[in-house]
Amino acid sequence: MWLLAQALESVPLGVAYAVWTGIGTSGTATVGILFFQERVTLLRIVCIAGIVGTIIGLGLTV
C-alpha cells in the first residue's frame, strides 16, 4: 500500500491502481506456475503476456 501511495504522487489513480492490480495478478499466476506446479498452457502464457503488455502500455501513457 505504501508503494501505491508513493506512485499516486506522480501517476493518476486509475493508471496506478490498474498497474498495481495487474502486477499482482500476473505475479500470482507466475508464482503458481513456478512454485506450485500449476499447469502451463499457451492460453495462460498469452493472458499473462497480455496483462504485462497492458501494464507497459498504461505506463507509456503517463
Side-chain angles (χ1 to χ4, degrees):
M1 290 299 284
W2 181 77
L3 291 174
L4 178 60
Q6 294 300 311
L8 287 174
E9 292 179 7
S10 60
V11 178
L13 174 64
V15 174
Y17 189 72
V19 169
W20 188 45
T21 57
I23 290 171
T25 302
S26 60
T28 301
T30 302
V31 166
I33 290 170
L34 295 176
F35 297 106
F36 297 105
Q37 290 76 41
E38 292 182 1
R39 293 183 336 166
V40 179
T41 63
L42 179 60
L43 180 58
R44 183 172 283 191
I45 298 300
V46 167
C47 289
I48 292 171
I51 292 169
V52 172
T54 303
I55 292 169
I56 292 168
L58 282 171
L60 294 174
T61 65
V62 176

